[in-house]
Amino acid sequence: MSARYEELKGLKNIGQKYAYTDREVMLYACGIGLGADPMDENELAFVNEGTFTPRPLKVVPTFASVAAWGSGPGEMNLNRVMVVDGERDITFHQPLPVAAHITADSSVLEVYDKGKDKGVVISHQTVLKNEKGEKLATLGRFALRSRRRRLWRAEPDPARSAQDPGARARQDDRHRHASRPGAGLSALRRPQPAAFRS
C-alpha cells in the first residue's frame, strides 16, 4: 500500500460543531417545494409553525444532509473537476429537532482502486449527534469517484466479486419517491421575502 492510500484511509475529523434554527428548517422545506399548496395541512406543517391553529413545526428528514454542510473527514487533495459524486444514503436514528447544536464526526470508511485509468472510490460517513451525544443521523457511504488514472495500488473493489448483483439494486429501491413536476423551480416562482430582496 502506498503512503497516499494510508493517508486517505486514516482521515478522520471528530467533533465538528454546527447549529441550525427553525429558520433553516423552514427555508429547506420551501426550497424542496413543500408548502406550494396553502390548503395542504400536511405540507404546511414543514414550512410554518401555525398561527391560527397552533401546531408543532416538523423537520423534513433529509434536512440532515445539509444540517452540517461542509463537514467531512479532512482535505483529500483531489482535483474536484475530476470527481463524480457516486451515491449517498442516510440512516435516521431519531427525528431531527427543530433547532439544535449538533456535532459531526466524519471518517473515511473505504478506499478502492478501480484499476488502470478507471479512478478510485473513496467512501466516507458523517455521524450527526445532538448535545447529549445521541446519534441523530448517519450520512453514510458518500462515494467520491475520481475519474483520474490510477493513483496507487489499493484494495480490490468488492463490487467486482459480488455474488448477488441484484442485492444492491433491491436495497436501493426501498425509498423511491416521485417528485412533483416543477418542484426544483418552485422556490424561484415564489415572491422573495423582504430580507432577501436587494
Side-chain angles (χ1 to χ4, degrees):
M1 303 295 168
S2 74
R4 177 82 174 118
Y5 168 78
E6 294 298 335
E7 173 192 342
L8 283 172
K9 187 86 171 173
L11 281 177
K12 190 177 287 189
N13 195 349
I14 306 299
Q16 302 164 80
K17 304 288 186 190
Y18 293 89
Y20 65 87
T21 65
D22 59 346
R23 176 183 179 274
E24 287 78 27
V25 167
M26 290 186 276
L27 283 173
Y28 177 81
C30 286
I32 63 171
L34 293 176
D37 179 359
M39 301 307 289
D40 187 342
E41 284 288 326
N42 293 324
E43 287 192 10
L44 289 177
F46 292 98
V47 295
N48 71 43
E49 55 281 292
T51 305
F52 299 112
T53 307
R55 66 170 169 268
L57 181 65
K58 294 182 180 178
V59 181
V60 179
T62 54
F63 177 74
S65 65
V66 298
W69 188 258
S71 63
E75 183 54 53
M76 296 184 193
N77 295 318
L78 299 174
N79 180 352
R80 294 292 175 181
V81 174
M82 300 300 290
V83 171
V84 176
D85 190 3
E87 62 184 79
R88 296 175 180 245
D89 65 57
I90 305 174
T91 303
F92 301 101
H93 304 289
Q94 58 181 290
L96 294 173
V98 173
H101 289 272
I102 58 174
T103 303
D105 297 339
S106 303
S107 59
V108 170
L109 300 175
E110 304 159 322
V111 180
Y112 297 113
D113 189 341
K114 299 296 281 184
K116 186 174 181 182
D117 297 326
K118 294 183 182 174
V120 173
V121 175
I122 302 169
S123 176
H124 63 92
Q125 76 173 9
T126 299
V127 179
L128 304 181
K129 298 178 181 176
N130 62 18
E131 288 181 293
K132 298 176 185 175
E134 301 166 335
K135 288 183 181 181
L136 295 172
T138 300
L139 312 173
R141 192 145 179 92
F142 290 99
L144 300 175
R145 302 181 196 280
S146 173
R147 296 178 292 164
R148 292 193 80 160
R149 61 182 172 76
R150 181 180 209 162
L151 301 176
W152 63 81
R153 183 143 187 85
E155 299 175 14
D157 186 348
R160 291 183 181 176
S161 59
Q163 294 178 357
D164 182 5
R168 185 69 188 178
R170 285 192 301 277
Q171 179 184 354
D172 289 345
D173 200 41
R174 289 184 296 187
H175 301 289
R176 299 208 178 216
H177 302 284
S179 296
R180 186 169 55 242
L185 300 174
S186 61
L188 298 176
R189 290 194 299 264
R190 290 193 182 91
Q192 292 183 337
F196 293 106
R197 293 184 193 140
S198 52

